[in-house]
Amino acid sequence: MQSSHESEDPRGRAADGSGRDAPRDTPPRPSADAGPRHREHASAEPEGEQPDLGDELARIEDRYRRALADLDNYRKRATREVDRRVAEAREAALRDWLLVVDSVERAIGMEPDGPCYDGLRAILQQIDMVLDRQGAKRIGDLGDTFDPERHEAVAVRASEDVPERTVVEVQRSGVAQGDRVIRPAQVVVARAPEHAH
């Protein structure tokens, strides 16, 4: 029978002298040169997976330019919309003034020699000043050559005194704002008389 001191070699070998290592509780440590290679392998990434900063910058700049273009287009649309609304409001105000012009002109035509004639003419001149401040003016004067863009012929009158297509009577004034006709003038136009043979 063997004693307890002879059952196990102090260096961890079996007492039977077979030379086999006894089981150990701790795992084997990696060799000294394995660590750096492992760390180097872990930190290295394939070049294809790294982002291309030049391409990324180009994409950002493209998005920035597109955003600027969209903002510029929005500003232009907003400006056009504001201009359109201002023009519509101004045109509506001018049409309201035309009602006053019509009333004054009818009153003048009813009593051309009446006591109120001078006063009505003065009012009409004030109206013209208001229209002028708005960039508008009355159109349709005696002696004008008929222009279908600015006049509306409501009748024709035979006349030998003036050339054909001459405005011989203004029944209702028109108004133009610059080149834009807000309301054409209603006029009577001359034509050459028909001579019987």
Side-chain angles (χ1 to χ4, degrees), residues 90-146:
R90 184 175 296 170
E91 184 173 321
L94 289 176
R95 290 183 184 279
D96 290 340
W97 270 107
L98 289 179
L99 299 177
V100 180
V101 171
D102 294 343
S103 297
V104 173
E105 286 185 333
R106 279 196 298 268
I108 291 174
M110 289 173 62
E111 295 187 17
D113 298 324
C116 297
Y117 178 82
D118 292 337
L120 291 174
R121 292 297 304 178
I123 293 174
L124 198 57
Q125 289 176 355
Q126 288 180 330
I127 291 174
D128 287 339
M129 292 173 61
V130 172
L131 294 176
D132 186 65
R133 286 197 295 269
Q134 297 297 321
K137 65 178 181 178
R138 289 192 300 136
I139 57 175
D141 294 324
L142 293 177
D144 286 349
T145 300
F146 177 76

Side-chain angles (χ1 to χ4, degrees), residues 35-47 49-50:
R37 286 199 304 269
H38 177 74
R39 287 194 298 271
E40 182 181 354
H41 176 74
S43 62
E45 295 181 358
E47 294 184 359
E49 297 181 2
Q50 293 180 349

Side-chain angles (χ1 to χ4, degrees), residues 48-103:
E49 297 181 2
Q50 293 180 349
D52 190 331
L53 297 182
D55 291 345
E56 183 66 18
L57 178 61
R59 285 193 293 269
I60 292 174
E61 288 179 344
D62 181 65
R63 288 198 295 268
Y64 175 71
R65 285 192 295 269
R66 289 175 182 270
L68 283 182
D70 291 342
L71 178 60
D72 185 56
N73 290 335
Y74 170 76
R75 286 175 176 169
K76 290 178 180 178
R77 287 195 303 271
T79 300
R80 287 194 300 267
E81 180 65 17
V82 170
D83 292 343
R84 184 183 66 82
R85 290 182 179 274
V86 169
E88 288 178 352
R90 184 175 296 170
E91 184 173 321
L94 289 176
R95 290 183 184 279
D96 290 340
W97 270 107
L98 289 179
L99 299 177
V100 180
V101 171
D102 294 343
S103 297

Side-chain angles (χ1 to χ4, degrees), residues 159-173:
S159 175
E160 295 181 345
D161 299 329
V162 294
E164 267 194 336
R165 298 175 61 84
T166 299
V167 173
V168 293
E169 182 182 341
V170 179
Q171 294 191 354
R172 190 189 71 180
S173 293

